[in-house]
Amino acid sequence: MSGLGDVLAIARKARGLTQSELADLVGTTQPTINRYEAGDRDPDPQTVAALAEALGVTEQLLTHGNRFRGALAVDAHMRRQKTTKASLWRQMEARLNLLRVHASFLFEEISIRSEQHVPTFDPDDVPAQHAARLIRAQWRMPLGPVVNLTRWLEGAGVLVFEEDFGTHRIDGLSQWVGDHPVMLINASAPPDRKRLTKAHELGHLVLHSNVATDDMESEANRFAAELLMPLDEIRAELRKVDLGSLVALKREWGVSMQALVERAHAIKTVTPEQRTRFYKMMNARGWKTNEPGGEFIPAERPEFPTRIGDALLAKGFTEERIAQIAGAATTDGNPFKPTPINRLRAL
């Protein structure tokens, strides 16, 4: 068997297609697609070509399953609301897994080195807050607010991608591909929420890559809070919390007012009653999903994937060849597409 089944299923789900819809696109039947995905039958070369074209990937990527390092189609760590439809979060999970396959396919051709790395800890031995402090120490992060968290993540070899998920109910998700973690973040979220999501997903990668616990979401939240708002450094600023101070602290620390209130509540400088009043005020003003002050938080744009494309372009590869290396059928579908300015220079 070719190992095509898992990659085929991932690519199909990532495109939001049912087995019947894919079958119609390639001129076959749903039971046949099911047999391909189950590994009970291998398609002939003509059908592989048709499947690849319908899914926007190369034929080589479809047969990549036997060479993929690590499990395919794994459950992703995901920051989402509990009421999110299963079909929606399963599609985003497939999108992440397809990015993992693209990255693994590319890493067979090139080697990526990073200044730092993402360590992993057993949460039974290393509490979430302590793990966050260890990360800050190992990465030599300066005291105070984290400036451009995305850059710190990419400096540790994390591939960060942003896409508009078409919903506010899913913030982001993450998993490993070989030695490199991959994050997929909702591009439509405000900058402060994206930063918290990235810190939350880093917590999952650090704490839950080798072990699952009963309290993973809370552990990731505690990790994110300590990473972005170290208790020893922010405690004094949370002694008095009101609307004016929250807006100022949001601008300084790059986190939402809600995250600041939750931090203050955790260290008991905000009472449960004050916390309840705060959320009632937020709801009354329509700020629960659109807080003020977001315009003061700089947007953090991922650069690592395009830098990989730029490096290959500088070595003389064409855009079409770079897409092929990443397993994408077209240059537009290449997640490692070079930046526009470098593409123009190469013409």
Side-chain angles (χ1 to χ4, degrees):
M1 292 296 174
S2 65
L4 172 143
D6 283 339
V7 182
L8 177 62
I10 289 168
R12 174 182 61 78
K13 293 173 185 176
R15 300 288 183 254
L17 297 172
T18 64
Q19 289 183 339
S20 295
E21 289 169 338
L22 180 57
D24 290 341
L25 289 174
V26 300
T28 186
T29 64
Q30 181 274 327
T32 300
I33 297 294
N34 185 60
R35 292 186 67 185
Y36 293 157
E37 292 186 359
D40 294 333
R41 177 178 175 182
D42 283 339
D44 58 44
Q46 292 78 14
T47 303
V48 172
L51 289 167
E53 182 179 3
L55 296 171
V57 300
T58 62
E59 298 169 44
Q60 292 79 10
L61 183 130
L62 275 185
T63 57
H64 182 60
N66 284 343
R67 305 192 306 278
F68 189 86
R69 287 194 299 150
L72 279 172
V74 298
D75 292 337
H77 306 304
M78 186 179 300
R79 188 170 184 238
R80 70 177 190 270
Q81 296 181 17
K82 292 181 179 180
T83 55
T84 308
K85 291 182 179 178
S87 59
L88 183 58
W89 62 259
R90 284 296 185 191
Q91 182 179 357
M92 297 315 303
E93 194 170 63
R95 284 289 307 140
L96 177 75
N97 275 307
L98 183 57
L99 285 170
R100 293 173 67 233
V101 178
H102 279 297
S104 177
F105 198 63
L106 181 135
F107 290 158
E108 286 192 349
E109 300 292 332
I110 65 172
S111 177
I112 302 296
R113 293 183 180 180
S114 53
E115 296 177 2
Q116 305 288 348
H117 73 285
V118 176
T120 59
F121 304 109
D122 187 329
D124 289 334
D125 298 328
V126 181
Q129 297 94 319
H130 186 49
R133 291 192 288 271
L134 287 173
I135 288 286
R136 288 185 68 114
Q138 289 183 17
W139 290 1
R140 298 180 179 85
M141 301 173 80
L143 297 175
V146 178
V147 177
N148 202 330
L149 175 61
T150 305
R151 189 172 298 164
W152 286 102
L153 292 171
E154 293 185 326
V158 182
L159 287 165
V160 182
F161 298 93
E162 290 193 3
E163 295 181 7
D164 188 341
F165 292 0
T167 178
H168 66 278
R169 295 182 178 275
I170 304 174
D171 290 300
L173 50 165
S174 62
Q175 252 303 343
W176 287 82
V177 51
D179 298 327
H180 293 273
V182 178
M183 285 187 189
L184 181 57
I185 305 298
N186 194 340
S188 64
D192 55 289
R193 190 168 185 88
K194 284 194 221 177
R195 280 168 52 84
L196 192 63
T197 296
K198 291 168 186 174
H200 178 98
E201 291 304 321
L202 179 61
H204 279 311
L205 293 166
V206 168
L207 296 167
H208 307 130
S209 293
N210 301 314
V211 62
T213 69
D214 295 331
D215 199 25
M216 290 195 294
E217 289 305 302
S218 295
E219 289 168 349
N221 285 337
R222 292 195 294 273
F223 176 95
E226 183 63 24
L227 185 77
L228 295 178
M229 300 169 282
L231 183 56
D232 290 343
E233 300 169 43
I234 201 172
R235 185 194 298 271
E237 299 187 60
L238 293 176
R239 286 175 182 166
K240 182 182 179 181
V241 176
D242 55 32
L243 187 57
S245 66
L246 285 172
V247 172
L249 287 171
K250 174 175 181 172
R251 184 173 184 174
E252 177 185 359
W253 290 87
V255 296
S256 67
M257 293 190 292
Q258 296 175 65
L260 289 161
V261 167
E262 290 300 319
R263 192 64 163 147
H265 180 257
I267 63 175
K268 303 187 185 312
T269 57
V270 163
T271 67
E273 293 76 17
Q274 289 172 319
R275 177 174 176 261
T276 298
R277 286 198 298 271
F278 167 76
Y279 280 111
K280 286 182 178 179
M281 180 272 292
M282 293 287 285
N283 285 327
R285 300 190 184 194
W287 289 353
K288 190 67 184 296
T289 56
N290 188 24
E291 285 189 3
E295 66 274 16
F296 298 118
I297 301 175
E300 300 179 7
R301 294 180 176 84
E303 298 177 355
F304 194 13
T306 54
R307 286 206 309 269
I308 292 173
D310 290 342
L312 291 173
L313 198 68
K315 289 182 178 294
F317 292 94
T318 64
E319 280 195 74
E320 290 74 17
R321 178 56 182 151
I322 296 170
Q324 187 180 44
I325 290 172
T330 65
T331 56
D332 286 341
N334 178 16
F336 300 94
K337 183 164 53 177
T339 52
I341 188 170
N342 286 319
R343 289 153 57 195
L344 286 172
R345 289 171 178 167
L347 294 176

